[in-house]
Amino acid sequence: MKFGRLGVLMLCSAALFNANAADNQTLPALDKPFMAPEFTTMSESGKSHSLSDYRGKLVILNFWASWCPPCRYEMPSMERLWQQVQGKPVVILAVNVGEDADTIFEFTGHYPVSFPLLLDQDGSIIDSYPVRGLPTTFIISPEGRVTHRIIGSREWDEAQLIGQLLELATPSR
Amino acid sequence: MRWTMVVMFLLLTGCNQHVSHGIDEETGLAYWQVEDGKISLRLVQRTPLQTQSFFLGRGFTRQQTETIAHGCVFQTIFKNISNESSSPVVLSYDLDQWVVHHDGKQPLKTREAWQQHWQEQGVAKAQQLAFNWALLPTRQEYRPGDYNWGMTAYDLAPGGEFDLTVRWQEAGQTREVIIHDLRCSTDIAQPNQEEES
């Protein structure tokens, strides 16, 4: 993965675009929540993860790719969110679409994150979710239901958004 | 009846007062933007070299990349900018309803058309995946704050000019705008010429 001048410029554009929309932070709720499709896959670091491992916690399931500017843009705020929810029943799973472990490892050199980065090299996981563009993020309730879908990046460590997430993390709302 | 016709006319006719054109400060390339308080649509030129480099980086061969790089590609951002608290609306579009005006009418070349092309060419699954996700979705629905960022491809040569009819649905109503004189990039960005136009 190369971050050339154009990549930096595109990222700056993404940042500016997102900054303009920073006052429009929302977690759009789905009209029809559905049971989250189960999957098992490896992380970039070689550990196996199944979605069902996280039943009882709020799962923030993010689909991304290293070449996608809005995906890169939201990674640092997602990491800050991850740090702020340590000890809370919230987990972030970021599923990379179509790339290999080496590419993701190189990505983490530029964007250090400590939540699991999962592999979906053949696209089978993303195909099981209603995703049409990257990034797309789903909020999965502690009971395993997909309740919210976010298309495009967000400032994940914004206070109001964290408050919403923590409220959703409370079982049997 | 008369008022119904007037309302239909206002909803379906162009909103060119919302279309702006300029030079993208970051890339030095031309952009066209539609914005009306609910929708924000921005098309930024991509040079053939940019596009070729991007897909070479995704594992395509040089020969494969020439198919798209020697065409016309715009980086395209579609966003729902309506306010969640005061006037939320759901926006959606279908690229099959957008029309390219250049020597008649043409459709956009969407993910589905490209997928068939790459399958016929025997391109590997990983490359097909990367290509698919790099393009703007063919159909999408956006709630407030949602947006996508992806390429749109047009069956025109670098430097080609065209008008683009953009249609979208806003709270169940069809809206339409015509963006005039879009220009496909050539390999050398010519910001001075863009500014003069």
Side-chain angles (χ1 to χ4, degrees), chain B residues 48-89:
Chain B
L49 188 58
Q50 281 176 355
T51 303
Q52 184 162 41
S53 300
F54 177 85
F55 287 110
L56 283 172
R58 308 282 80 74
F60 282 80
T61 66
R62 186 166 295 277
Q63 189 178 7
Q64 288 165 348
T65 61
E66 285 174 357
T67 310
I68 183 167
H70 290 174
C72 176
V73 181
F74 283 79
Q75 193 68 39
T76 308
I77 306 169
F78 191 109
K79 182 172 175 65
N80 183 338
I81 57 171
S82 68
N83 191 290
E84 171 68 33
S85 55
S86 60
S87 57
V89 295

Short mmCIF file of all heavy atoms in Angstrom, two decimals, chain B residues 48-89:
data_model
loop_
_atom_site.label_atom_id
_atom_site.label_comp_id
_atom_site.label_asym_id
_atom_site.label_seq_id
_atom_site.Cartn_x
_atom_site.Cartn_y
_atom_site.Cartn_z
N PRO B 48 -6.35 10.26 -16.13
CA PRO B 48 -6.10 8.86 -16.50
C PRO B 48 -4.94 8.25 -15.72
O PRO B 48 -5.01 7.09 -15.30
CB PRO B 48 -5.80 8.95 -18.00
CG PRO B 48 -6.58 10.14 -18.46
CD PRO B 48 -6.47 11.13 -17.33
N LEU B 49 -3.91 9.05 -15.47
CA LEU B 49 -2.75 8.52 -14.75
C LEU B 49 -3.11 8.18 -13.30
O LEU B 49 -2.69 7.14 -12.78
CB LEU B 49 -1.60 9.54 -14.78
CG LEU B 49 -0.26 9.05 -14.24
CD1 LEU B 49 0.23 7.83 -15.01
CD2 LEU B 49 0.78 10.18 -14.30
N GLN B 50 -3.90 9.06 -12.66
CA GLN B 50 -4.37 8.76 -11.29
C GLN B 50 -5.12 7.44 -11.25
O GLN B 50 -4.90 6.60 -10.38
CB GLN B 50 -5.35 9.84 -10.82
CG GLN B 50 -4.74 11.13 -10.34
CD GLN B 50 -5.85 12.12 -10.00
OE1 GLN B 50 -7.03 11.87 -10.20
NE2 GLN B 50 -5.45 13.27 -9.48
N THR B 51 -6.03 7.30 -12.19
CA THR B 51 -6.88 6.11 -12.20
C THR B 51 -6.06 4.86 -12.48
O THR B 51 -6.22 3.83 -11.83
CB THR B 51 -8.01 6.28 -13.24
OG1 THR B 51 -8.74 7.47 -12.92
CG2 THR B 51 -8.95 5.10 -13.23
N GLN B 52 -5.14 4.99 -13.44
CA GLN B 52 -4.30 3.84 -13.76
C GLN B 52 -3.44 3.45 -12.55
O GLN B 52 -3.32 2.26 -12.21
CB GLN B 52 -3.41 4.16 -14.95
CG GLN B 52 -2.58 2.96 -15.40
CD GLN B 52 -2.04 3.12 -16.79
OE1 GLN B 52 -1.60 4.20 -17.17
NE2 GLN B 52 -2.07 2.05 -17.57
N SER B 53 -2.86 4.44 -11.88
CA SER B 53 -2.02 4.17 -10.71
C SER B 53 -2.83 3.48 -9.61
O SER B 53 -2.34 2.55 -8.96
CB SER B 53 -1.42 5.47 -10.16
OG SER B 53 -0.64 6.08 -11.13
N PHE B 54 -4.05 3.97 -9.41
CA PHE B 54 -4.89 3.39 -8.36
C PHE B 54 -5.12 1.91 -8.62
O PHE B 54 -4.95 1.07 -7.72
CB PHE B 54 -6.25 4.12 -8.29
CG PHE B 54 -7.19 3.53 -7.28
CD1 PHE B 54 -7.13 3.91 -5.96
CD2 PHE B 54 -8.12 2.57 -7.65
CE1 PHE B 54 -7.97 3.34 -5.01
CE2 PHE B 54 -8.97 2.00 -6.72
CZ PHE B 54 -8.89 2.39 -5.39
N PHE B 55 -5.47 1.56 -9.84
CA PHE B 55 -5.80 0.15 -10.10
C PHE B 55 -4.55 -0.72 -10.25
O PHE B 55 -4.60 -1.91 -9.95
CB PHE B 55 -6.74 0.05 -11.29
CG PHE B 55 -8.14 0.50 -10.95
CD1 PHE B 55 -8.65 1.68 -11.47
CD2 PHE B 55 -8.91 -0.21 -10.04
CE1 PHE B 55 -9.92 2.12 -11.11
CE2 PHE B 55 -10.17 0.23 -9.68
CZ PHE B 55 -10.69 1.39 -10.21
N LEU B 56 -3.44 -0.14 -10.66
CA LEU B 56 -2.18 -0.90 -10.62
C LEU B 56 -1.87 -1.28 -9.18
O LEU B 56 -1.42 -2.39 -8.88
CB LEU B 56 -1.03 -0.07 -11.21
CG LEU B 56 -0.98 0.05 -12.73
CD1 LEU B 56 0.08 1.06 -13.16
CD2 LEU B 56 -0.70 -1.32 -13.39
N GLY B 57 -2.15 -0.34 -8.26
CA GLY B 57 -1.93 -0.60 -6.84
C GLY B 57 -2.87 -1.65 -6.27
O GLY B 57 -2.61 -2.20 -5.20
N ARG B 58 -3.95 -1.92 -6.97
CA ARG B 58 -4.91 -2.94 -6.52
C ARG B 58 -4.65 -4.28 -7.21
O ARG B 58 -5.44 -5.20 -7.10
CB ARG B 58 -6.35 -2.51 -6.81
CG ARG B 58 -6.75 -1.12 -6.30
CD ARG B 58 -7.04 -1.08 -4.83
NE ARG B 58 -5.86 -1.01 -4.00
CZ ARG B 58 -5.11 0.08 -3.84
NH1 ARG B 58 -5.40 1.19 -4.49
NH2 ARG B 58 -4.05 0.07 -3.04
N GLY B 59 -3.57 -4.39 -7.99
CA GLY B 59 -3.19 -5.68 -8.56
C GLY B 59 -3.60 -5.90 -10.01
O GLY B 59 -3.39 -6.98 -10.54
N PHE B 60 -4.19 -4.90 -10.64
CA PHE B 60 -4.54 -5.04 -12.05
C PHE B 60 -3.27 -4.95 -12.90
O PHE B 60 -2.28 -4.31 -12.50
CB PHE B 60 -5.49 -3.92 -12.49
CG PHE B 60 -6.92 -4.12 -12.06
CD1 PHE B 60 -7.32 -3.82 -10.77
CD2 PHE B 60 -7.87 -4.61 -12.95
CE1 PHE B 60 -8.64 -4.00 -10.37
CE2 PHE B 60 -9.18 -4.80 -12.56
CZ PHE B 60 -9.58 -4.49 -11.27
N THR B 61 -3.28 -5.58 -14.08
CA THR B 61 -2.16 -5.42 -15.00
C THR B 61 -2.29 -4.07 -15.71
O THR B 61 -3.38 -3.48 -15.75
CB THR B 61 -2.15 -6.53 -16.07
OG1 THR B 61 -3.32 -6.37 -16.90
CG2 THR B 61 -2.18 -7.91 -15.43
N ARG B 62 -1.19 -3.61 -16.27
CA ARG B 62 -1.22 -2.33 -16.98
C ARG B 62 -2.24 -2.37 -18.12
O ARG B 62 -2.99 -1.42 -18.34
CB ARG B 62 0.18 -2.00 -17.51
CG ARG B 62 0.31 -0.62 -18.15
CD ARG B 62 1.76 -0.25 -18.33
NE ARG B 62 2.45 -0.10 -17.06
CZ ARG B 62 2.43 1.01 -16.31
NH1 ARG B 62 1.75 2.06 -16.71
NH2 ARG B 62 3.08 1.07 -15.17
N GLN B 63 -2.28 -3.51 -18.81
CA GLN B 63 -3.21 -3.64 -19.93
C GLN B 63 -4.67 -3.54 -19.44
O GLN B 63 -5.49 -2.89 -20.08
CB GLN B 63 -2.98 -4.98 -20.65
CG GLN B 63 -3.75 -5.11 -21.95
CD GLN B 63 -3.46 -6.42 -22.65
OE1 GLN B 63 -2.79 -7.30 -22.11
NE2 GLN B 63 -3.96 -6.56 -23.87
N GLN B 64 -4.93 -4.19 -18.30
CA GLN B 64 -6.30 -4.13 -17.76
C GLN B 64 -6.67 -2.71 -17.35
O GLN B 64 -7.79 -2.26 -17.58
CB GLN B 64 -6.42 -5.08 -16.56
CG GLN B 64 -6.41 -6.55 -16.93
CD GLN B 64 -6.15 -7.47 -15.74
OE1 GLN B 64 -5.77 -7.01 -14.65
NE2 GLN B 64 -6.37 -8.76 -15.93
N THR B 65 -5.72 -2.01 -16.74
CA THR B 65 -6.04 -0.66 -16.25
C THR B 65 -6.30 0.31 -17.40
O THR B 65 -7.02 1.29 -17.23
CB THR B 65 -4.90 -0.08 -15.39
OG1 THR B 65 -3.72 0.03 -16.18
CG2 THR B 65 -4.65 -0.94 -14.17
N GLU B 66 -5.71 0.02 -18.56
CA GLU B 66 -5.89 0.95 -19.68
C GLU B 66 -7.35 1.01 -20.12
O GLU B 66 -7.80 2.02 -20.65
CB GLU B 66 -4.96 0.57 -20.83
CG GLU B 66 -3.52 0.98 -20.52
CD GLU B 66 -2.51 0.51 -21.55
OE1 GLU B 66 -2.92 -0.19 -22.50
OE2 GLU B 66 -1.32 0.85 -21.39
N THR B 67 -8.08 -0.06 -19.89
CA THR B 67 -9.49 -0.08 -20.27
C THR B 67 -10.24 1.06 -19.59
O THR B 67 -11.05 1.74 -20.21
CB THR B 67 -10.15 -1.41 -19.86
OG1 THR B 67 -9.33 -2.47 -20.32
CG2 THR B 67 -11.55 -1.53 -20.41
N ILE B 68 -9.97 1.26 -18.31
CA ILE B 68 -10.68 2.33 -17.59
C ILE B 68 -9.90 3.64 -17.61
O ILE B 68 -10.48 4.71 -17.72
CB ILE B 68 -11.03 1.92 -16.13
CG1 ILE B 68 -11.84 3.04 -15.47
CG2 ILE B 68 -9.82 1.52 -15.31
CD1 ILE B 68 -12.49 2.66 -14.18
N ALA B 69 -8.58 3.54 -17.55
CA ALA B 69 -7.79 4.78 -17.47
C ALA B 69 -7.90 5.60 -18.75
O ALA B 69 -7.81 6.82 -18.72
CB ALA B 69 -6.33 4.44 -17.19
N HIS B 70 -8.10 4.94 -19.88
CA HIS B 70 -8.24 5.67 -21.14
C HIS B 70 -9.69 6.05 -21.41
O HIS B 70 -10.10 6.24 -22.55
CB HIS B 70 -7.65 4.86 -22.29
CG HIS B 70 -6.15 4.77 -22.22
ND1 HIS B 70 -5.40 4.01 -23.07
CD2 HIS B 70 -5.27 5.35 -21.38
CE1 HIS B 70 -4.12 4.12 -22.75
NE2 HIS B 70 -4.01 4.94 -21.72
N GLY B 71 -10.45 6.13 -20.34
CA GLY B 71 -11.83 6.58 -20.43
C GLY B 71 -12.01 7.87 -19.66
O GLY B 71 -11.13 8.73 -19.64
N CYS B 72 -13.13 7.99 -19.00
CA CYS B 72 -13.47 9.24 -18.30
C CYS B 72 -13.99 8.88 -16.92
O CYS B 72 -15.00 8.17 -16.79
CB CYS B 72 -14.54 9.96 -19.10
SG CYS B 72 -15.17 11.45 -18.32
N VAL B 73 -13.29 9.33 -15.90
CA VAL B 73 -13.64 8.95 -14.52
C VAL B 73 -13.68 10.20 -13.63
O VAL B 73 -12.81 11.07 -13.75
CB VAL B 73 -12.61 7.95 -13.95
CG1 VAL B 73 -13.00 7.54 -12.52
CG2 VAL B 73 -12.50 6.71 -14.84
N PHE B 74 -14.69 10.27 -12.81
CA PHE B 74 -14.79 11.34 -11.81
C PHE B 74 -14.84 10.73 -10.41
O PHE B 74 -15.51 9.71 -10.19
CB PHE B 74 -16.06 12.17 -12.02
CG PHE B 74 -15.99 13.13 -13.16
CD1 PHE B 74 -16.16 12.69 -14.47
CD2 PHE B 74 -15.72 14.47 -12.95
CE1 PHE B 74 -16.09 13.56 -15.54
CE2 PHE B 74 -15.63 15.36 -14.02
CZ PHE B 74 -15.83 14.91 -15.32
N GLN B 75 -14.13 11.35 -9.48
CA GLN B 75 -14.33 11.00 -8.07
C GLN B 75 -15.65 11.64 -7.66
O GLN B 75 -15.86 12.85 -7.91
CB GLN B 75 -13.17 11.56 -7.22
CG GLN B 75 -13.12 10.99 -5.84
CD GLN B 75 -12.76 9.51 -5.85
OE1 GLN B 75 -11.93 9.09 -6.63
NE2 GLN B 75 -13.41 8.73 -5.01
N THR B 76 -16.54 10.89 -7.08
CA THR B 76 -17.90 11.36 -6.86
C THR B 76 -18.29 11.16 -5.39
O THR B 76 -18.10 10.08 -4.84
CB THR B 76 -18.87 10.58 -7.77
OG1 THR B 76 -18.38 10.66 -9.12
CG2 THR B 76 -20.27 11.15 -7.71
N ILE B 77 -18.81 12.22 -4.80
CA ILE B 77 -19.24 12.15 -3.40
C ILE B 77 -20.71 12.55 -3.33
O ILE B 77 -21.07 13.66 -3.71
CB ILE B 77 -18.40 13.10 -2.51
CG1 ILE B 77 -16.91 12.82 -2.68
CG2 ILE B 77 -18.81 12.93 -1.04
CD1 ILE B 77 -16.02 13.86 -2.06
N PHE B 78 -21.53 11.63 -2.87
CA PHE B 78 -22.96 11.89 -2.70
C PHE B 78 -23.25 11.89 -1.20
O PHE B 78 -22.96 10.91 -0.51
CB PHE B 78 -23.78 10.81 -3.39
CG PHE B 78 -25.26 11.12 -3.52
CD1 PHE B 78 -25.81 11.41 -4.75
CD2 PHE B 78 -26.08 11.12 -2.40
CE1 PHE B 78 -27.17 11.69 -4.87
CE2 PHE B 78 -27.44 11.41 -2.52
CZ PHE B 78 -27.99 11.69 -3.75
N LYS B 79 -23.82 12.96 -0.70
CA LYS B 79 -24.04 13.06 0.75
C LYS B 79 -25.41 13.63 1.07
O LYS B 79 -25.90 14.53 0.40
CB LYS B 79 -22.96 13.95 1.37
CG LYS B 79 -23.06 14.08 2.89
CD LYS B 79 -21.85 14.82 3.44
CE LYS B 79 -21.99 15.07 4.93
NZ LYS B 79 -22.00 13.86 5.75
N ASN B 80 -26.01 13.08 2.12
CA ASN B 80 -27.24 13.63 2.67
C ASN B 80 -26.84 14.64 3.74
O ASN B 80 -26.33 14.27 4.79
CB ASN B 80 -28.09 12.51 3.29
CG ASN B 80 -29.43 13.03 3.81
OD1 ASN B 80 -29.59 14.21 4.10
ND2 ASN B 80 -30.39 12.12 3.96
N ILE B 81 -27.05 15.93 3.42
CA ILE B 81 -26.63 16.98 4.36
C ILE B 81 -27.84 17.57 5.10
O ILE B 81 -27.72 18.61 5.73
CB ILE B 81 -25.84 18.10 3.67
CG1 ILE B 81 -26.63 18.72 2.52
CG2 ILE B 81 -24.49 17.59 3.17
CD1 ILE B 81 -25.97 19.97 1.93
N SER B 82 -28.98 16.90 5.01
CA SER B 82 -30.15 17.41 5.73
C SER B 82 -29.90 17.29 7.23
O SER B 82 -29.15 16.42 7.69
CB SER B 82 -31.42 16.64 5.35
OG SER B 82 -31.38 15.31 5.81
N ASN B 83 -30.53 18.17 7.97
CA ASN B 83 -30.29 18.23 9.41
C ASN B 83 -31.17 17.22 10.14
O ASN B 83 -32.39 17.23 9.99
CB ASN B 83 -30.55 19.65 9.92
CG ASN B 83 -30.07 19.82 11.35
OD1 ASN B 83 -30.65 19.25 12.27
ND2 ASN B 83 -29.00 20.57 11.52
N GLU B 84 -30.54 16.37 10.92
CA GLU B 84 -31.27 15.30 11.63
C GLU B 84 -32.34 15.86 12.54
O GLU B 84 -33.45 15.32 12.63
CB GLU B 84 -30.27 14.47 12.44
CG GLU B 84 -30.90 13.47 13.38
CD GLU B 84 -31.60 12.33 12.66
OE1 GLU B 84 -31.14 11.94 11.58
OE2 GLU B 84 -32.61 11.85 13.17
N SER B 85 -32.05 16.97 13.21
CA SER B 85 -32.99 17.45 14.21
C SER B 85 -34.09 18.34 13.64
O SER B 85 -35.22 18.31 14.11
CB SER B 85 -32.25 18.20 15.31
OG SER B 85 -31.48 19.24 14.75
N SER B 86 -33.77 19.14 12.59
CA SER B 86 -34.78 20.09 12.13
C SER B 86 -35.52 19.64 10.87
O SER B 86 -36.73 19.85 10.77
CB SER B 86 -34.13 21.46 11.87
OG SER B 86 -33.12 21.34 10.88
N SER B 87 -34.82 19.04 9.92
CA SER B 87 -35.52 18.67 8.67
C SER B 87 -34.89 17.43 8.05
O SER B 87 -34.35 17.48 6.95
CB SER B 87 -35.45 19.83 7.68
OG SER B 87 -34.09 20.18 7.44
N PRO B 88 -34.97 16.30 8.75
CA PRO B 88 -34.34 15.09 8.21
C PRO B 88 -35.10 14.56 7.00
O PRO B 88 -36.33 14.55 6.99
CB PRO B 88 -34.42 14.11 9.38
CG PRO B 88 -35.60 14.54 10.16
CD PRO B 88 -35.65 16.04 10.03
N VAL B 89 -34.37 14.16 5.98
CA VAL B 89 -34.99 13.48 4.84
C VAL B 89 -34.13 12.28 4.48
O VAL B 89 -32.94 12.24 4.80
CB VAL B 89 -35.12 14.39 3.59
CG1 VAL B 89 -36.07 15.53 3.83
CG2 VAL B 89 -33.76 14.89 3.13
#
